[in-house]
């Protein structure tokens, strides 16, 4: 399986900025851009959620070689038949082999739409089966516990792609990770993933599939401290998110990082009272180190990526943040990618 490096793009930034970043990634030689569909919770912190499915088609038209991934969308917010219809648009916009379809529960999104459920494994199995069945083009009948489908065959003369894109499942809990190993082409890990969590994930997945790891990241050509600045900010945002929204489901993630709730509670309080820069100020060097960022100078980033690869990661997804994002993308492309691909 090829080792890939891409970027996890949060869809809470202005459209023009996201498209410009995608073009920069395309030029820099990044393998993938994954669109992490933001949820309305981000409005509390001065940002707006945008649809990954819509943005992905626009990005596909703005780039020539970059693979576009949904990282992730929730099957609870779109029926899987509708997901397949959205996927067709991105396939057409991107061309063959440039689209990856990622599903995840997104419990925070479910909070925002007041649609919480304790059943996640069955619905995920249904969603993967239906989207593959519909995109396969044959007549498809499916009766699931959560979703069902009755779709006629695609006629020979229909002008539409015929391939089924790789399907990924985002998973933190062991049972969902095991399901990814059973039904998916890849498993995507959550933000604040560490090498220890990668090893945990690989054990639970138990299959030879792509292991995509979401890691906080930033880079500077010569200044290590400045090169950790963006990672510190995005780590603060996501550590606060673990406290305010995700809670128990993130326990193993934080335990394997050696992070105590008492360490991140001040980060969450600062985020609530003063926003992301206030939260950033509460992320000490020691706490950032526990998050195992891919951050600092190019040499720091190369060493960190190799640690993730050794743990079993096959697809690094940089959660890139901080000032001068395009320059950071260029640096990764010129000074990091040639070393980790070699």
């Amino acid at each position: 399986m090829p080792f890939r490096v891409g970027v996890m793009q949060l869809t809470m930034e202005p459209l023009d900025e996201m498209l410009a970043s995608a073009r920069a990634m395309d030029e820099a030689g990044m393998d993938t851009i994954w669109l992490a569909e933001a949820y309305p919770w981000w409005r509390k912190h001065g940002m707006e959620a945008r649809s990954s499915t819509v943005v992905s088609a626009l990005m596909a038209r703005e780039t020539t070689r970059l693979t576009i991934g949904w990282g992730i969308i929730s099957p609870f917010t779109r029926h899987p038949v509708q997901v397949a219809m959205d996927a067709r648009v991105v396939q057409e916009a991107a061309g063959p082999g440039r689209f990856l379809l990622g599903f995840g529960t997104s419990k925070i999104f479910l909070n925002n739409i007041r649609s919480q459920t304790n059943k996640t494994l069955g619905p995920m199995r249904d969603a993967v089966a239906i989207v593959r069945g519909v995109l396969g083009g044959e007549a498809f009948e499916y009766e699931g516990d959560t979703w069902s489908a009755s779709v006629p065959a695609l006629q020979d003369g229909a002008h539409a792609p015929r391939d089924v894109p790789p399907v990924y499942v985002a998973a933190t809990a062991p049972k969902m990770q095991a399901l990814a190993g059973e039904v998916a082409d890849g498993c995507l890990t959550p933000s604040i993933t560490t090498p220890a969590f990668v090893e945990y994930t690989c054990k639970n997945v138990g299959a030879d599939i792509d292991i995509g790891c979401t890691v906080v990241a930033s880079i500077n050509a010569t200044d290590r401290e400045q090169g950790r600045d963006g990672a510190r900010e995005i780590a603060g945002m996501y550590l606060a998110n673990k406290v305010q929204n995700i809670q128990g489901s993130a326990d193993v993630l934080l335990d394997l990082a050696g992070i105590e709730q008492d360490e991140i509670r001040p980060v969450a309080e600062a985020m609530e009272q003063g926003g992301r820069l206030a939260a950033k100020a509460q992320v000490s060097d020691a706490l950032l180190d526990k998050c195992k960022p891919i951050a600092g100078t190019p040499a720091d980033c190369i060493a960190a990526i190799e640690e993730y690869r050794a743990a079993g990661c096959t697809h690094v997804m940089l959660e890139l943040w901080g000032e001068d994002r395009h320059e950071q993308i260029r640096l990764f492309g010129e000074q990091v990618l040639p070393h980790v691909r070699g």
Side-chain angles (χ1 to χ4, degrees):
M1 185 174 298
F3 184 77
R4 289 180 286 181
V5 179
V7 171
M8 182 65 78
Q9 169 69 54
L10 301 169
T11 63
M12 58 192 187
E13 298 185 281
L15 177 62
D16 286 346
E17 291 182 16
M18 290 191 286
L19 295 180
S21 291
R23 291 192 294 269
M25 293 173 211
D26 202 35
E27 294 169 7
M30 289 287 183
D31 294 306
T32 51
I33 180 169
W34 292 86
L35 296 174
E37 187 157 80
Y39 22 81
W41 176 80
W42 289 107
R43 285 185 169 191
K44 295 173 62 177
H45 304 291
M47 291 168 274
E48 176 65 301
R50 292 164 174 84
S51 165
S52 287
T53 56
V54 175
V55 173
S56 59
L58 296 172
M59 280 187 174
R61 287 299 197 194
E62 293 280 331
T63 55
T64 58
R65 47 157 302 282
L66 189 68
T67 296
I68 316 292
W70 292 345
I72 49 74
I73 65 166
S74 174
F76 291 97
T77 61
R78 301 168 178 86
H79 190 282
V81 173
Q82 180 68 55
V83 171
M85 294 164 63
D86 291 344
R88 276 289 189 243
V89 176
V90 186
Q91 286 182 300
E92 287 184 291
R98 288 187 58 214
F99 174 57
L100 306 172
L101 194 161
F103 275 130
T105 302
S106 191
K107 290 186 177 180
I108 306 171
F109 208 129
L110 297 186
N111 284 339
N112 288 148
I113 63 174
R114 296 190 175 182
S115 183
Q116 276 294 352
T117 177
N118 292 323
K119 295 181 179 180
T120 56
L121 296 174
M124 189 65 69
R125 185 185 295 275
D126 288 349
V128 172
I130 291 172
V131 78
R132 279 203 181 119
V134 174
L135 290 173
E138 302 294 330
F140 182 70
E141 300 287 334
Y142 185 90
E143 292 293 333
D145 291 335
T146 305
W147 292 293
S148 300
S150 178
V151 180
L154 189 63
Q155 294 186 4
D156 291 341
H159 295 287
R162 304 285 167 158
D163 56 314
V164 179
V167 179
Y168 287 67
V169 169
T172 303
K175 289 183 179 180
M176 187 64 79
Q177 291 181 338
L179 181 66
E182 179 187 345
V183 305
D185 300 293
C187 180
L188 305 178
T189 68
S191 185
I192 316 294
T193 283
T194 62
F197 190 77
V198 175
E199 293 175 353
Y200 170 86
T201 299
C202 290
K203 180 179 178 180
N204 291 328
V205 166
D208 185 19
I209 63 173
D210 196 17
I211 304 297
C213 306
T214 310
V215 186
V216 294
S218 55
I219 191 171
N220 184 276
T222 57
D223 188 330
R224 182 174 187 270
E225 196 57 39
Q226 185 62 35
R228 285 160 55 92
D229 190 69
R232 192 185 304 274
E233 183 175 335
I234 193 71
M237 293 161 62
Y238 269 96
L239 288 170
N241 193 25
K242 305 298 183 195
V243 173
Q244 295 176 0
N245 294 308
I246 302 173
Q247 298 173 350
S249 59
D251 286 351
V252 173
L253 185 75
L254 297 176
D255 287 346
L256 289 172
I259 297 174
E260 304 287 341
Q261 286 288 333
D262 287 346
E263 290 180 273
I264 60 176
R265 197 166 290 111
V267 179
E269 291 171 355
M271 182 80 168
E272 191 68 17
Q273 296 169 11
R276 64 182 190 272
L277 294 181
K280 169 187 169 184
Q282 294 298 318
V283 179
S284 65
D285 285 341
L287 181 54
L288 181 59
D289 287 342
K290 289 182 179 181
C291 296
K292 292 290 185 176
I294 296 173
T297 65
D300 293 323
C301 293
I302 292 166
I305 288 173
E306 292 299 345
E307 186 177 359
Y308 277 94
R309 194 208 305 251
C313 174
T314 56
H315 196 149
V316 169
M317 302 180 297
L318 303 166
E319 202 146 36
L320 200 59
W321 202 256
E323 295 181 4
D324 204 349
R325 202 90 51 85
H326 294 181
E327 173 63 12
Q328 293 192 58
I329 292 167
R330 185 192 68 79
L331 282 170
F332 268 105
E334 290 184 1
Q335 298 190 32
V336 176
L337 294 190
H339 295 277
V340 299
R341 284 179 177 152

